Amino acid sequence: MSRARKVLIFGGIALAAFGMLYGLYYAVFVEHQTLDQMGGSLAAAFVDAAQRNMPESHMALDAYASTKYDYVRQVDVHSHWIGLAMLMIVMGAAFDRLGFGQRIQLAIAWGLLTGSVLFPLGVILQTVGHGSAFASAAAILGSGLVIIALAVTAVGFVRERTASQ
Amino acid sequence: MRAQRLLVFGGIALIAGGMLFGDIFAVFVLHQNGGETGAALLAATKAVAAQNPAAVKETFARIGGLLEDRGTKVDTHVHMADAGYLALLLALVQPYVAFSPGRKKFLAKLFLVGGVLLPIGIFLIHYVGLAYSPSSVIGWASILADSAGALMIVALFGEAWGLLNYFRSRPAVESELPQDRSWESRVLLSGGTVLVLLGFLYGAWYAGVNLYEQEAREAKIFSTMLDSAVANSSAAAESVNAYGMLAAEKAVEIAAHSHIIEFGLLAILLSFIQPYVFLRDVWKRRWVMLLLAGSVILPIFVLLELRFGLIAGGIADIGGVMVIVALVGMLVGILRYSGSLDVRAGGLS
């Protein structure tokens, strides 16, 4: 097994296990409480409005928006880590069919692994500081790396196909 | 049946089951649920106008139930299909898992049992609720789902341990999947990679252009909805409509992104198991073309639902059915392959 395939398969399995552990922790300790908080804030906004307490109502709406901002990203992190991990393992199985040399294959593999870790990490860091430029930059850099690595992989498969014809 | 074939067979069955559930959900639950949620939200704005906090609370309890109903069904669909993808992945790495055939089969069964129980547990969450639960937050169905998830994690760690064993001791590798360079395999591999790439590009565009704008729009809609309700204005109903449209917009954009990537991944995975599909070449090609066509039709027409309504939704559902039919066709081929091996081994004599 080539080094590139090892990076992809081991990195992918580790990332999938980590993503699932995160999902389990999130489902047991965070999700239900977050959903309660989100639903509670929105209901409170309407109840306050019914009682004509508009400042409190708008504060509750802000709390709802803030909780939902976190919730969307927390769920996205879980699904993206596992999804990207699966893609890495699949690519690991197919990499010997890529029409590139070992060095380029290894560079693509590291690009995929780095991007797959960095992109969801940047997304979850956005929940620590809303609108954090560092977190957004990490997410953009990570997703960019994954897209470039995947585009090069697609070219590699086409080259393999051309070579075999 | 060896661990590898068990995972291939179980994986495709889980994916087909998850997709069938998704199609049934899209046709019979999704739109009806959205309509009921909109009606409940409208009732909440009327309760606000009538200065009736008790009615607001009652309505929100109903909205919570509707959202849980929808959310658990989406999660059932996603987790069942994803467990299938993971099973197919594990099938690919089986030759490098350095355990005895019996232990490998045990791990495969453990993973598949978890993969079946997890979506069942998620599906039941809405119906079981907190009945007889020892916790005030998590019900028995959640406990079932979480336990099934834990089973899958244990199986995954077991597989990783087997892989580590292989790289430590380098034992003789049992037969790998045949290196297939057939037309079907190549079309699935390159077509799948292109689908995944398109999904990533669309996801990046969505995150950059739509995500923050939609979050801001939602906050503004709710703010306007409450202010209008307090003023007893008809604008409250317009805000409820705007919220419904926004929810639909988000749902179709996220569904298009996730489905095109998942279908791409599925196509790549299926490219590896083509040697196991024991059918005539012409049928293998038909299933490949049907799968790829459905994989393109579903996400595109899901996106077009906002513009063309239920007609586009219906075509998207047909796309889903095309993928399911192709999967079942390949599954039949794998069954025929298993049968042929059994006959050769004298298993049926």
Side-chain angles (χ1 to χ4, degrees), chain A residues 1 6 10 13 17 20 24 27-28 32 42-43 45-47 49-52 54 57-58 61 64 68-69 73 80 84 86-87 89-91 93-94 96-97 126 146-147 150-151 154 157 160-161 165, chain B residues 48-49 51 53 56-57 60 85-86 89 92 96 137-138 142 146 153 156 160 163 167 170 179-181 185-186 189 193 196-197 200-201 211-212 215 218 222-223 225-227 230 250 265 268-269 272:
Chain A
M1 188 186 278
K6 280 184 199 169
F10 276 106
I13 289 178
M20 288 172 89
L24 187 64
V28 174
H32 296 280
L42 191 58
F46 276 71
V47 168
Q51 292 167 337
R52 300 300 182 257
M54 292 316 285
S57 172
H58 284 287
L61 265 188
Y64 162 78
K68 191 166 184 192
Y69 178 97
R73 282 153 185 80
H80 279 90
L84 288 165
M86 289 203 293
L87 182 68
I89 301 170
V90 173
M91 288 298 162
D96 58 347
R97 293 166 68 167
Q126 288 177 346
V146 171
I147 288 172
L150 198 65
F157 285 140
E160 184 263 353
R161 195 178 169 183
Q165 281 173 342
Chain B
V48 167
Q51 300 190 42
V56 167
K57 284 179 188 165
F60 266 90
Y85 292 135
L86 269 175
L89 280 178
L92 293 182
Y96 301 107
V137 183
I138 298 174
S142 286
D146 293 339
I153 291 172
L156 208 58
L163 280 171
F167 285 107
R170 305 261 173 185
Q179 290 292 314
D180 188 20
R181 296 285 194 274
S185 175
R186 284 186 286 120
L189 184 61
T193 309
V196 174
L197 186 59
F200 278 7
L201 287 169
L211 180 64
Y212 287 91
E215 282 174 342
E218 183 181 325
F222 273 128
S223 185
M225 194 187 293
L226 287 176
D227 290 339
V230 167
K250 277 198 278 193
L265 206 55
I268 297 172
L269 283 168
F272 295 106

Side-chain angles (χ1 to χ4, degrees), chain A residues 18-30 78, chain B residues 145-150 153:
Chain A
F18 185 75
M20 288 172 89
L21 279 173
Y22 171 81
L24 187 64
Y25 154 78
Y26 185 73
V28 174
F29 297 110
V30 185
H78 169 56
Chain B
D146 293 339
S147 307
I153 291 172

Side-chain angles (χ1 to χ4, degrees), chain B residues 16-40:
Chain B
M19 290 193 59
L20 186 63
F21 181 86
D23 248 9
I24 292 170
F25 164 72
V27 173
F28 295 107
V29 181
L30 184 64
H31 298 288
Q32 295 84 332
N33 181 284
E36 283 180 54
T37 308

Side-chain angles (χ1 to χ4, degrees), chain B residues 162-238:
Chain B
L163 280 171
L164 269 179
N165 275 351
Y166 168 79
F167 285 107
R168 272 195 206 134
S169 55
R170 305 261 173 185
V173 176
E174 72 173 75
S175 58
E176 288 194 50
L177 281 173
Q179 290 292 314
D180 188 20
R181 296 285 194 274
S182 64
W183 180 91
E184 305 85 54
S185 175
R186 284 186 286 120
V187 168
L188 282 170
L189 184 61
S190 38
T193 309
V194 169
L195 284 174
V196 174
L197 186 59
L198 286 175
F200 278 7
L201 287 169
Y202 179 74
W205 176 81
Y206 171 78
V209 176
N210 283 353
L211 180 64
Y212 287 91
E213 184 274 327
Q214 286 175 349
E215 282 174 342
R217 189 155 30 119
E218 183 181 325
K220 197 177 169 194
I221 286 172
F222 273 128
S223 185
T224 311
M225 194 187 293
L226 287 176
D227 290 339
S228 311
V230 167
N232 209 357
S233 153
S234 62
E238 286 165 23

Side-chain angles (χ1 to χ4, degrees), chain B residues 109-131:
Chain B
K109 281 182 182 171
L110 195 69
F111 186 85
L112 291 175
V113 167
V116 171
L117 289 180
L118 176 66
I120 290 175
I122 293 172
F123 178 77
L124 292 174
I125 286 172
H126 176 64
Y127 301 101
V128 174
L130 292 174

